Structure formats: structure tokens, C-alpha cells
Amino acid sequence: MTEILSLTPPDRPRLLDPGRPGREDLASYLATGGYPAAPAPERLVESVAAAGLRGRGGAGFPTAVKLRTLRDAPGDTVVVANGEEGEPGSVKDRWLLRHRPHTVLDGVRLAARTTGAVRGYVYLSDPQAADAVRRALLERPPTVPVDIVLTEHTYVAGEESAVVRRIDGGPALPTTKPPRPFERGVGGAPTLIANVETLARLALLTAHPDAAVAVASSHLLTLSGGPAPSVLAEAPAGTHLGTLAGHAGRGGSAAVLLGGLFGGLYGDGWAGLRLDHDELIAAGGALGCGAIHFLPPGGCPVGAAADAAGYLAAQSARQCGVCVSGTQALAGTLAALARGEGRHEDTGKLHRWSQGLTGRGACGLLDASAHIAATLLRHFPDRVRAHEDGPCPSCADAPPPDGSRLGVTVP
């Protein structure tokens, strides 16, 4: 079971609003100021830039730059609301599509008007979310045609080139870049691919321009790990991870897996880190999609790294030989360490792989696996060396590292 928590002050617009339980219908969304008159495109881009809205899908790219690039692109353009969250520890996108479909579709409307798009898509793998979006489209027909595209739920299906490939009728697998979707995307047209939370915040800041900065800087987070229920939370930028852990019943955690699997592991000092893209990157982590997995007291970072690497190896698209061999080598070595069957030379191998495999795959999956190994070695060298002589009690009692312990249910 996943609980819902809002740390955003009640006088600010929120996506997680206790006063709006359940799925929003058209009447309830209109009552909150939804579907306002759209500002002039350039004015909206300027408002988004001034508010500092960044993408919520993982990379945190400035949204205004994306909007302006597509607006300046030649010919017709396309907008895609990307709701396929492949991170096993994230539920925010599916929750938004299930419970705030009009907010997301309002963001699609505004993005389409700003970029001059002639068609929109909502891309997802969750049937419940698809039903909610379908009902919302019937309640208020969109200003441009919007289609729902269902895909298989995998780690790589939400990667931007995989999104384009699937919408165009192919498999949801990444392709080599360039071109990137903003250059040549769905049907060959320049395409804006935006995470559904990004679009929801675009709609929210447009409806509440006086609170645009607060809206743009708040984050939806999935907090998990240990025996306590998982938590879907909304918190303002600058909130310390220790504060989040305390509210989520995880104040005694010794380490965290940051930002989904891509952010890697962090040890001493994690509680003092804040929700801030630049600060977390400078610390060697990443905010990513806002999934934060807290290792419970007594939990082992070697076991957590093996779990994450095992999941990523199983999710490889198997299109790049270096990804197949690299993820399998990392996962196998970390699993052996977790079992206490590692060898003394394994630390050197992990170090070489974590440095040499980055940037060599068609998507970020191999990078995520390499970064997990790199951050494990950086923050927990003593724990790694101890595992060369035998498993710790936590790892000895754990099930095989397949990533299943990282999963979270949608509230």
C-alpha cells in the first residue's frame, strides 16, 4: 500500500491536494481554475522560463528551452505526454494520469498551442490510467486531436526515441541519436516529448501565475524502502532528504538510492542533501524522476546495488552488445558479492566497468548500472571489501537480487 503526503504549504497550488480526493472530473477541474484562456505562445514560454520549470522525467532539462525549440521548428509539430515510468520505484506519473487526467491534458493543450502542434499523444502502459484519460477526453474534447498509445511496461519504453518508435508502430526500443525527437520525431515531425508531471505543472502554473515559481519548483516524489508503507509525496524545492525521511517514517535510514536507479547510492551526509537538481548532481547523485529508496536500518548497500543492477540487466533492450555484456557483468559481480562469493579482484573490475561503460549504450540503462557500481564503491568501500570474505546478515537473508524489492504500488 502507498500513502499520500503533501509537504507543500496549503496556501500554494498543489497536485496532491487533500481537498481533491479521487479522480478529478471536468467540473472539479474547472472549479480550480483549470483550462484557462491560453496566454500568447511567447508570453507562456517567458513565464515558464521565469518560473524555472524543469522536466520531471529524469534529466531535469529546462522546459522553456524545449518549448521554444519546438516553436521555432519548421513545419507541423507533435506533442507527446510521456507517462511510461519505467523506474520500478516511481508511481507519480501513473497516479497523475489516473487521478489528475484533466490537469495533464490541460498541459498538453498549452504545450500544443505554444509549439503550434497539430496532434498530441498520451503515451502510457497502465490500463487504469488509459481509462481515466479516455474519460477525460470524452468530457472535454481537445483542441487538437489527442490519441492514447499503450505500450508494454519496461524500463526503456519511456526513453524518448523508444516513445517515437512505438507511436510510429514499431517496438518500444531506443534508437541511436541523432536525430533526436525535437529534430525528427513522430511521423518525421519535430516532436516535444514531455513527462506528464511537467505538463501538469505547466497547466498549474498557467492557472495560478502568481504562484508560478512555487508550482515549478515543487516535486512529486515516491519514497520507499523498509517495512513502512511507501509514500507518494509533494514537497517544495530545498526540502532536506532527512525531513522527507522523517515524515515518511524512515528517519533511521543509513543510505539512500537517489532519483530512481540512475541517481545511484549515497551514504554519510544524505540527510543534509536538499531537493535541488544542481545540488544533487554536484554531490554525485541525481533527483531524476523523484524516486527515493531509503535503506532501512541494517539494510546493506551491496544488496541494494545488486538488486538495482539485476533489475537493469533484465530490462536491457538487448540491442547493444556492450549493454548486454556490461549490465550482465555488473549484475553478476554484484550478486556474487552480495552472496559472499566475490573475489578480491572484483572491486577492481567494478571500478573499471563503472568508468569505462558510461556513454556506450543507445540509452541511459547502461549508464545507470555503471553509476550504481561507481557510487557503491565511492560511498561504501568498507562494505564492499567486507563482502569479499562472506555475506552480511542482511544479504544472507535476502531473496535473489531481481529488483522486485524496489517496486511500489500506485495509491
Side-chain angles (χ1 to χ4, degrees), residues 55-60 87 92 219 258-260 262-263 277 280 285-291:
R56 296 298 196 271
E87 291 283 358
K92 68 181 182 69
H219 297 269
L258 288 172
F262 190 84
H277 282 283
L280 290 175
L287 180 55
C289 65

Side-chain angles (χ1 to χ4, degrees), residues 23 97 124 126-137 148:
R23 185 185 74 87
L97 289 167
L124 41 70
D126 178 23
Q128 291 186 48
D131 288 343
V133 173
R134 197 173 289 114
R135 289 195 296 269
L137 288 170
I148 297 171

